[in-house]
Amino acid sequence: MSEKKEKIVAIKGMNDILPADAPLWELFENTAESVLKSYGYQKIVTPIVEETGLFARAIGAVTDIVEKEMYSFTDSMNGDQLTLRPEGTAGVVRAVIEHNLAYDGPKRLWYKGPMFRHERPQRGRYRQFFQFGAEAIGFSGPDIDAELIMLCRRLWDDLGLDNIRLELNSIGNAEERQRHRADLIAYFEANIDVLDAEAKRRLHANPLRILDTKNPAMQDLVNNAPKLLDYLGGESLAHFEGLKKILDANNVQYTVNPRLVRGLDYYNRTVFEWVTDMLGAQGTVCAGGRYDPLIETFGGKPTPGIGFAMGIERLIELMKEQGEPATPAQCDVYLVHQGEDAQTKAFILGERIRDAGLDVVLHCATPAGAGSFKSQMKKADGSGAAFAVIIGEDEVENGVVAVKSLRDSEGGQQQTSVPFDEAVDFIVDQIVGGHDHDHDHDHVHYHP
Ligand code: HAM
């Protein structure tokens, strides 16, 4: 007697990406990679696990991520303190320093992969999520800031996404922020009666975060609070103006949001977020900014940096919101066969058609059996293939195969008997329409 087995499910906040969604993910990743490539960015892959200290130092010890969201653990083999990366910038910067990547000239880099944060899961916010990011290391002017932003705009265009707006701010340098902070605290202290309990708690730890309050009773107060932008010195201002000038000249729409401060400590000067209203509370699909002091704080030679990361799940959601995606086909050709000799022929033909660069699904037996012709044809229809190739005992005997078009809706579905050795040419001709097929296995088969 077997005992009832307990079902094992995925960890809360960590998702499976199922085959039905895979084509959208592929479309996003392929488009993003080709956009990055078109601007000269090169791929970098860093480990998912790093020393815990890397993140504490890069992101900042008193940030939400480091204080309460990191998956940290002790390596039971040697006692090392390790963490599943909560973001990608720290690891890229570590690798750049470790391999002296930026000392022979600036580098444009991109990466993708899973990140881990122990947040409260909700729509658009997960504990494992995927980011697609870029980091430009060794460039100091506002031109690279503009390039990174325009590269995002191109990606939204290529994906057919509208309804994403750009919010921009400059948070100056550490000294400018310090002066602003002192005035901000003094301003809030002078208005202490208006502050709610949470604001009072944040007053000295992180007064900037008070500006994010949703409390209606505090809106007047925060609207009139000292603005960081007014504390920027000449160089920071010139950088910000330079960026806006390039964006204006290239018709990039943006709003300056003086309250945009970002939740990671490594930023200076330019910060930006791409936001949509179509995804509810988690509408930031891409965020980034400059981190000029970061490399030096890790012991590297002073080297400026700027980058962004996109939340892929959120962008996939947005792609779904903005239009029913075409149903992708599983293959070009579905091979239907019955009998042992026919199966042998089907395997041989399947390999030959794949050699010609097309994708083939060969019908295989299930616990219910090999399947009648009728049930196999149903599978062929469901696969989205352009053609079914049918091999039965008669076909084997006559040295032919039956090629049936599955897409001709008018006048019924055509079926043609073709000699076995000519089948590949016939099918390639039908599908590619006389053009050379380029053996491109990445092509996606969409129903017309
Ligand atoms: P971040 O704002 O923490 O920045 O994350 C960037 C993007 O990742 C967010 O805008 C969002 O789309 C997505 N994201 C963040 N957390 C989650 C989550 N829990 N679930 C789903 N999506 C999420 C960074 O990570 C910086 N490293 C960006 C950067 C690169 N700055 C400079 N270079």
Side-chain angles (χ1 to χ4, degrees):
M1 286 276 283
S2 68
E3 283 174 37
K4 190 165 180 285
K5 299 205 175 70
E6 224 176 282
K7 202 160 98 187
I8 297 181
V9 296
I11 292 167
K12 190 175 168 204
M14 305 204 180
N15 303 313
D16 300 308
I17 299 160
L18 300 175
D21 272 349
L24 264 189
W25 280 72
E26 234 172 81
L27 181 64
F28 173 81
E29 290 180 22
N30 291 343
T31 311
E33 283 173 31
S34 80
V35 168
L36 265 298
K37 201 164 164 281
S38 77
Y39 286 79
Y41 285 69
Q42 295 175 301
K43 185 174 184 175
I44 184 165
V45 182
T46 65
I48 288 170
V49 181
E50 300 266 7
E51 272 181 36
T52 300
L54 172 72
F55 302 112
R57 276 170 64 189
I59 299 168
V62 279
T63 54
D64 281 354
I65 295 180
V66 172
E67 277 184 330
K68 47 187 193 219
E69 292 171 1
M70 295 212 298
Y71 282 92
S72 298
F73 57 97
T74 306
D75 184 335
S76 61
M77 302 296 167
N78 58 12
D80 286 352
Q81 297 298 315
L82 305 176
T83 292
L84 300 183
R85 63 181 183 195
E87 58 100 56
T89 310
V92 169
V93 162
R94 186 220 17 88
V96 162
I97 297 170
E98 186 169 335
H99 304 287
N100 294 325
L101 279 192
Y103 298 150
D104 60 346
K107 289 286 177 297
R108 291 173 162 93
L109 306 169
W110 71 265
Y111 57 88
K112 64 175 177 186
M115 308 293 161
F116 302 84
R117 297 183 194 177
H118 201 280
E119 299 194 81
R120 196 169 53 78
Q122 54 182 278
R123 183 185 184 197
R125 183 189 278 167
Y126 310 106
R127 290 182 174 171
Q128 176 184 269
F129 58 98
F130 284 78
Q131 280 187 345
F132 198 103
E135 313 289 351
I137 314 270
F139 300 94
S140 53
D143 44 359
I144 196 79
D145 306 23
E147 175 180 291
L148 282 161
I149 285 170
M150 287 171 61
L151 178 167
C152 294
R153 177 180 69 168
R154 177 173 294 276
L155 178 57
W156 314 146
D157 282 353
D158 285 2
L159 291 170
L161 298 177
D162 36 37
N163 292 310
I164 306 181
R165 61 173 190 276
L166 174 62
E167 299 202 350
L168 197 63
N169 194 19
S170 173
I171 59 168
N173 62 30
E175 188 216 319
E176 290 153 5
R177 280 194 299 281
Q178 196 51 46
R179 283 198 295 118
H180 171 252
R181 183 191 152 99
D183 284 3
L184 196 60
I185 292 175
Y187 170 81
F188 284 135
E189 278 175 340
N191 294 281
I192 196 90
D193 298 346
V194 191
L195 296 189
D196 58 18
E198 178 161 317
K200 282 182 185 148
R201 202 168 47 75
R202 284 179 166 162
L203 181 55
H204 290 278
N206 202 343
L208 272 182
R209 290 289 300 277
I210 298 177
L211 300 175
D212 282 340
T213 182
K214 302 274 182 298
N215 184 348
M218 288 175 56
Q219 292 310 308
D220 274 354
L221 182 73
V222 296
N223 284 334
N224 295 318
K227 291 194 173 44
L228 183 46
L229 270 178
D230 295 332
Y231 289 73
L232 300 194
E235 282 185 33
S236 293
L237 270 182
H239 189 101
F240 196 41
E241 290 307 315
L243 168 59
K244 287 192 286 184
K245 206 170 151 192
I246 301 174
L247 295 180
D248 291 339
N250 287 284
N251 266 325
V252 181
Q253 313 288 317
Y254 57 87
T255 43
V256 174
N257 176 0
R259 292 204 208 166
L260 180 65
V261 291
R262 311 276 301 123
L264 300 86
D265 276 358
Y266 49 59
Y267 292 109
N268 74 321
R269 290 195 178 167
T270 309
V271 291
F272 61 90
E273 290 189 355
W274 291 93
V275 186
T276 177
D277 294 323
M278 296 183 76
L279 296 178
Q282 307 304 319
T284 306
V285 293
C286 173
R290 242 179 207 285
Y291 45 86
D292 296 329
L294 185 60
I295 292 189
E296 203 179 351
T297 63
F298 277 108
K301 289 186 216 158
T303 312
I306 175 168
F308 65 71
M310 301 172 176
I312 304 186
E313 285 83 355
R314 293 182 190 181
L315 284 159
I316 298 288
E317 272 298 300
L318 193 57
M319 288 163 79
K320 287 184 185 170
E321 288 279 332
Q322 294 214 343
E324 194 56 38
T327 317
Q330 189 186 3
C331 57
D332 301 302
V333 176
Y334 196 99
L335 270 172
V336 168
H337 55 89
Q338 201 137 59
E340 208 173 305
D341 293 342
Q343 186 192 54
T344 306
K345 292 280 183 198
F347 264 91
I348 292 168
L349 188 58
E351 291 305 309
R352 288 190 193 166
I353 301 172
R354 293 185 190 102
D355 284 344
L358 297 178
D359 297 347
V360 183
V361 169
L362 181 135
H363 187 85
C364 286
T366 65
S372 64
F373 269 130
K374 199 171 156 214
S375 76
Q376 291 194 36
M377 284 307 293
K378 259 196 182 155
K379 292 272 187 309
D381 273 326
S383 75
F387 290 93
V389 172
I390 303 153
I391 312 179
E393 275 167 19
D394 289 352
E395 280 77 17
V396 173
E397 206 157 290
N398 298 321
V400 297
V401 301
V403 179
K404 183 169 185 175
S405 164
L406 300 177
R407 293 208 190 140
D408 293 340
S409 40
E410 288 157 34
Q413 295 175 335
Q414 262 187 320
Q415 185 166 318
T416 318
S417 180
V418 183
F420 185 83
D421 285 333
E422 292 166 26
V424 177
D425 284 348
F426 179 83
I427 292 162
V428 169
D429 222 50
Q430 295 283 314
I431 290 184
V432 188
H435 301 296
D436 279 346
H437 199 265
D438 60 2
H439 293 261
D440 176 5
H441 283 274
D442 290 339
H443 64 284
V444 185
H445 330 263
Y446 285 103
H447 284 306

